[in-house]
Amino acid sequence: MTIDEFKEFVKQRKPLDTPECWRILNEANEEARKITCRLNNSYHTQDEIREIMSELFGYKVPETFRVFPSFNTDFGRNTKVGENVFINAGCQFQDQGGIEIGEGSLIGHNVVLATLNHELAPERRQICVPAPIKIGRNVWIGSNSTILPGVSIGDNAVVAAGAVVNRDVEPDTIVGGVPARFIKHI
């Protein structure tokens, strides 16, 4: 199985319970840790950061993409970012299931995007199940928020700081709390 085949496989949201899946996960994790250690352990210009993030994500990121390190991911090969995306310091992306961030979106400090969950039955709890996160255009995710697997956030939405988002967020709305609930329309 190649990385591209793995990315197609996770779109089906099937459990990651085969030796081939674990091989891909482990290989990508090793590579992601090498790259993020380089990113996070010395000063880099934004141009250099974009080069490193392009290596991490496996494609050339837009010239308008900005990241303030530190940034961590345990996979790295299944994140897509649009133009004018900004990711602030301390973020953790678990992108095995796929993360898509639309143009103009802002990701606050210490945000967690998690695309894997574990099966509930104790005898199967070691098995992960992927589900993608889709963040629309011009979304603002406040500091210390967590976005859980399978969530879509609509265009222009705002996620208040510290929220835990476990269900889809409608466009042009503000959500907040644990779990995140509708606050108002924008």
Side-chain angles (χ1 to χ4, degrees), residues 30-81:
E30 289 291 322
E31 187 64 19
R33 285 187 298 121
K34 287 178 192 173
I35 296 168
T36 56
C37 279
R38 185 166 23 103
L39 172 70
N40 295 327
N41 289 311
S42 64
Y43 172 79
H44 302 283
T45 66
Q46 280 298 313
D47 286 339
E48 292 167 335
I49 290 171
R50 279 188 288 278
E51 287 178 31
I52 294 168
M53 296 301 287
S54 294
E55 180 183 354
L56 179 64
F57 291 166
Y59 65 94
K60 184 168 176 44
V61 300
E63 291 295 318
T64 57
F65 175 59
R66 292 182 310 135
V67 175
F68 287 177
S70 68
F71 174 85
N72 288 291
T73 182
D74 51 4
F75 191 72
R77 292 298 179 158
N78 208 1
T79 296
K80 298 286 183 209
V81 295

Side-chain angles (χ1 to χ4, degrees), residues 1-3 6-7 9-10 14-33 73-78 94-97 115-116 126-130:
M1 178 181 289
T2 65
I3 288 282
F6 177 85
K7 289 194 285 190
F9 179 81
V10 297
K14 291 182 180 179
L16 305 179
D17 60 357
T18 68
E20 274 299 290
C21 285
W22 284 107
R23 181 185 63 76
I24 291 290
L25 290 170
N26 289 331
E27 288 174 3
N29 177 266
E30 289 291 322
E31 187 64 19
R33 285 187 298 121
T73 182
D74 51 4
F75 191 72
R77 292 298 179 158
N78 208 1
Q94 181 193 54
D95 69 329
Q96 292 90 335
T115 66
L116 292 181
Q126 296 298 319
I127 297 172
C128 294
V129 180

Side-chain angles (χ1 to χ4, degrees), residues 92-169:
Q92 174 68 47
F93 287 16
Q94 181 193 54
D95 69 329
Q96 292 90 335
I99 294 171
E100 184 180 328
I101 304 173
E103 67 182 51
S105 290
L106 308 171
I107 311 296
H109 289 93
N110 303 313
V111 167
V112 173
L113 302 180
T115 66
L116 292 181
N117 211 340
H118 292 272
E119 293 201 4
L120 277 179
E123 65 277 6
R124 293 184 54 84
R125 195 150 299 148
Q126 296 298 319
I127 297 172
C128 294
V129 180
I133 292 172
K134 184 176 185 331
I135 299 169
R137 294 178 17 251
N138 302 311
V139 169
W140 176 17
I141 300 178
S143 295
N144 297 302
S145 295
T146 299
I147 313 301
L148 295 176
V151 167
S152 291
I153 300 175
D155 293 347
N156 307 310
V158 175
V159 175
V164 176
V165 183
N166 64 353
R167 66 183 93 166
D168 290 352
V169 175

